[in-house]
Amino acid sequence: MVNIPVITRRELSSYFLSPMAYVVLTGFALSHGILFSLGIGSRIEPNMQAYYAFYITLFLLILAAPVLTMRLVSEETNQGTIETLMTTPVTELEVVIGKFMGALVFAAVMFLPIVVQVVYLRFLGPVDVGPVLAGFLGLFLLTGQLLAIGLLCSALTRVQIASAIISFAILIGLYFMWYLGQGSPGMGAAVLRYLSPPWHYVNFAKGVVDTRDVAYFVITTGLFLFLTVRALQLRKWR
Amino acid sequence: MLVEAENLTRYYGSFLAVDGISFSIGRGEVVGLLGPNGAGKTTTIRMLTGFLPASDGTARIAGCDVRENAIEVRRHIGYMPENNPLYPEMRTREYLAFRANLKGVPRRRRRSRIEECIRLCSIEEVAGQIIGTLSKGYRQRVGLADAMLAEPDVLILDEPTIGLDPNQIREVRRLIGNLSERHTVLISTHILAEAEAVCRRVLIIDDGRIVADDTPAALSERLLHGAVTVELKGDPQQIRAELCRLDGVRSVHLADSTGWHTASVTPETGADVREAIFRAAARNGWRLRELTRSRASLEDVFHRITLGRPEAEPAVAAQEN
């Protein structure tokens, strides 16, 4: 596991050397900022506005996560650097975790505008710290899960744009399950709701930390990372 | 033995790319893996590095099984793949530092080792440059510097001079020549001059099988059976008759050119008939102006072996006295 920080550092430096990263950072900051300021007029109560800040991030991540992860493995496969990487004394697990951590740290930088917004809200009135921390925990868990899905898609194809489209389609599907599951009675709808990330994330945004929601994110993220490791291992047999 | 391959086999679907090849390479050897494009060189190398698993057979590097002990095997090899993939957005020194980290070069030695490799590969002037802006020759040298960073026992270089101009090729070959002082080197190439220039032993691979394994000189010898070319002035009938009578001579082909006659003498296997020809010339009073033992270039050997042409056909591409 000693190689994980080495790979994470390289991924981070690679992010900050690519113009796409700045497009994503700027795009996220602008769109989040615009949506946030539109909400301020209708939600005077700062705690509601903080909830809103986390809520809109849910939807922006559908676009941001596939773009952030699309190059992680597919670029290595396409450029052939996967061969130089996988013939050094590193394991597939180290590569996957290292890349995942790199994307997660970059996403944390992307979320800095939310911190600024929360600080700004404190000037408008009292903001409960607990729900805000819960929101950030949820954001961290949700982002991890969506990045893990994107990473898996990136390991399945050597074409970056294909990776982004596949992971975008999966995320749309997962979000759509939330929409379908809402308001419908019955077991099927409950299963759909339970499997969709937004349903769990919204609880965090509201300030509710439920271990079932934490477990959901941890298990699904672990599952997608495991599948990515397997995809990298099986690549040899293609 | 540092590198051992036993019955290595690899299928891609139903296509047999490497067909049960076996060979071994001892410490300090510089071995060329030759073959036409698509012969199975890269697949063989990828199986040796553990990048591709073998469908059957085993490979060991420094006694470690490639499949069962992949991480340990990777500590013993420095590998430069075909086309030398690098991260174009990184700077040369930053890239080498990343690779040294991954390869587990001890922290206290890392900096000095990176600088040593930069110096050995003569890339000092581009050490701070972005890799994507480097010429192909420099990039190739960055790849070589990377391969030797962790001072591996075995260097495996897949087509190390492909796409380079003649000056760059000469430079990279010189570098490989220097590397052989410290490492066991396996070079895959389809450029025969390269193998002839730097390798002391060549494995010729064709259709996934090893079809020859010897030194370039021995392969050449095997091909031409030590044929001798002699240029004489005298009576052609007598020359032919006398040469045919010599011990160890299998056949004589005589060609006339402006009074001087060029005889191609094919001896029996293993015989060296040069001295006997000289004595015959002296005895008969022929004027002699050339007596050389023909040596096939590796190109001839390769061509005949991989295209299945008969070995006995004399051809003179390079000559040795």
Side-chain angles (χ1 to χ4, degrees):
Chain A
M1 292 295 147
V2 290
N3 289 312
I4 290 175
V6 180
I7 294 168
T8 300
R9 273 202 303 275
R10 200 209 85 78
E11 287 306 326
L12 269 177
S13 81
S14 179
Y15 270 124
F16 286 105
L17 288 171
S18 112
M20 180 56 85
Y22 295 96
V23 171
V24 173
L25 285 178
T26 313
F28 182 86
L30 273 179
S31 48
H32 197 277
I34 290 168
L35 290 171
F36 179 78
S37 33
L38 287 176
I40 284 200
S42 56
R43 294 177 186 79
I44 305 298
E45 214 280 300
N47 280 312
M48 277 303 290
Q49 182 64 23
Y51 165 74
Y52 182 66
F54 288 113
Y55 189 74
I56 54 181
T57 312
L58 177 63
F59 298 97
L60 294 179
L61 275 175
I62 299 183
L63 272 176
V67 175
L68 281 184
T69 50
M70 65 182 185
R71 49 159 282 281
L72 284 175
V73 183
S74 57
E75 190 178 54
E76 301 255 17
T77 315
N78 195 37
Q79 287 181 347
T81 45
I82 191 80
E83 194 168 354
T84 45
L85 182 63
M86 297 315 303
T87 46
T88 53
V90 297
T91 61
E92 282 87 356
L93 182 65
E94 286 174 320
V95 170
V96 169
I97 301 289
K99 285 178 177 289
F100 172 73
M101 293 302 290
L104 201 57
V105 173
F106 184 83
V109 174
M110 189 174 76
F111 294 143
L112 283 178
I114 305 176
V115 178
V116 175
Q117 288 161 1
V118 171
V119 171
Y120 168 72
L121 288 175
R122 286 196 67 119
F123 287 108
L124 297 183
V127 176
D128 294 338
V129 176
V132 168
L133 290 180
F136 276 114
L137 174 64
L139 192 55
F140 168 75
L141 291 170
L142 171 75
T143 307
Q145 187 205 40
L146 302 192
L147 292 177
I149 292 172
L151 188 55
L152 172 63
C153 295
S154 181
L156 294 176
T157 171
R158 59 168 58 213
V159 184
Q160 290 190 39
I161 198 73
S163 156
I165 290 170
I166 297 168
S167 57
F168 179 70
I170 293 173
L171 298 193
I172 289 283
L174 286 171
Y175 278 47
F176 197 62
M177 281 160 60
W178 178 46
Y179 172 76
L180 286 178
Q182 274 180 335
S184 314
M187 189 66 178
V191 169
L192 283 180
R193 271 200 311 272
Y194 194 82
L195 289 177
S196 71
W199 189 71
H200 298 275
Y201 172 69
V202 167
N203 291 337
F204 288 101
K206 287 175 187 165
V208 180
V209 178
D210 188 328
T211 46
R212 285 172 298 183
D213 297 326
V214 175
Y216 163 82
F217 281 118
V218 170
I219 290 169
T220 51
T221 304
L223 175 69
F224 288 119
L225 292 179
F226 169 75
L227 290 175
T228 311
V229 172
R230 296 299 292 161
L232 269 185
Q233 288 168 339
L234 291 173
R235 156 199 61 76
K236 297 176 177 180
W237 292 102
R238 274 185 233 157
Chain B
M1 284 295 163
L2 213 51
V3 180
E4 293 165 277
E6 265 178 49
N7 195 32
L8 269 186
T9 305
R10 171 74 194 198
Y11 283 92
Y12 291 108
S14 60
F15 174 71
L16 179 59
V18 173
D19 185 7
I21 65 171
S22 302
F23 61 90
S24 54
I25 302 173
R27 192 172 286 276
E29 278 193 272
V30 181
V31 177
L33 187 61
L34 264 83
N37 290 328
K41 304 186 296 289
T42 296
T43 302
T44 303
I45 277 184
R46 285 179 168 172
M47 287 191 284
L48 287 178
T49 59
F51 183 68
L52 276 183
S55 307
D56 196 12
T58 55
R60 279 185 295 277
I61 305 275
C64 304
D65 189 287
V66 165
R67 184 179 294 200
E68 287 165 11
N69 209 348
I71 296 293
E72 195 51 38
V73 163
R74 293 177 201 170
R75 289 187 212 284
H76 289 280
I77 58 169
Y79 174 42
M80 188 172 106
E82 194 179 4
N83 300 324
N84 185 29
L86 303 166
Y87 296 110
E89 74 277 10
M90 294 180 94
R91 290 177 193 277
T92 303
R93 190 175 273 114
E94 179 195 9
Y95 173 73
L96 293 176
F98 164 65
R99 300 285 297 172
N101 248 321
L102 274 188
K103 293 178 178 190
V105 177
R107 185 183 287 267
R108 63 194 151 73
R109 289 212 54 231
R110 207 172 291 155
R111 187 178 295 234
S112 63
R113 183 63 192 152
I114 291 168
E115 293 308 319
E116 190 183 356
C117 290
I118 285 176
R119 187 177 47 74
L120 283 172
C121 295
S122 311
I123 48 174
E124 295 98 328
E125 59 200 75
V126 296
Q129 213 166 307
I130 293 168
I131 290 172
T133 66
L134 300 182
S135 70
K136 185 131 189 171
Y138 272 124
R139 267 187 273 171
Q140 215 73 358
R141 281 189 257 170
V142 172
L144 278 172
D146 165 35
M148 56 202 268
L149 263 178
E151 298 178 86
D153 292 323
V154 187
L155 275 173
I156 300 178
L157 313 172
D158 195 356
E159 304 274 8
T161 60
I162 200 163
L164 299 183
D165 70 34
N167 289 335
Q168 293 169 333
I169 288 176
R170 183 173 290 195
E171 187 58 27
V172 169
R173 278 188 199 153
R174 184 192 60 78
L175 194 55
I176 293 169
N178 293 342
L179 292 179
S180 63
E181 291 165 12
R182 295 195 208 176
H183 308 271
T184 298
V185 186
L186 175 64
I187 303 171
S188 142
T189 182
H190 67 276
I191 302 165
L192 302 147
E194 190 156 289
E196 211 157 22
V198 295
C199 302
R200 290 190 275 270
R201 178 182 157 204
V202 290
L203 301 168
I204 298 180
I205 182 168
D206 190 31
D207 275 340
R209 282 188 296 267
I210 288 183
V211 290
D213 175 0
D214 218 326
T215 62
L219 282 172
S220 165
E221 181 72 20
R222 198 172 97 190
L223 185 75
L224 285 182
H225 306 297
V228 169
T229 301
V230 55
E231 208 174 333
L232 300 153
K233 190 174 259 186
D235 174 29
Q237 305 294 337
Q238 189 197 12
I239 291 172
R240 181 179 289 111
E242 285 285 331
L243 291 181
C244 282
R245 265 203 297 275
L246 294 176
D247 275 352
V249 170
R250 191 162 70 184
S251 67
V252 176
H253 174 79
L254 198 65
D256 184 11
S257 66
T258 63
W260 288 88
H261 307 285
T262 305
S264 297
V265 181
T266 307
E268 304 291 348
T269 308
D272 185 351
V273 294
R274 284 176 293 182
E275 199 175 333
I277 292 172
F278 173 75
R279 286 182 196 285
R283 199 169 51 240
N284 293 293
W286 303 330
R287 287 159 70 189
L288 173 71
R289 72 175 186 188
E290 187 185 346
L291 178 60
T292 54
R293 192 172 200 206
S294 305
R295 180 175 168 264
S297 71
L298 200 49
E299 198 157 309
D300 296 312
V301 177
F302 180 78
H303 188 64
R304 287 168 196 217
I305 289 177
T306 57
L307 293 183
R309 286 174 57 189
E311 289 194 5
E313 185 185 325
V316 182
Q319 298 188 313
E320 74 175 6
N321 290 319

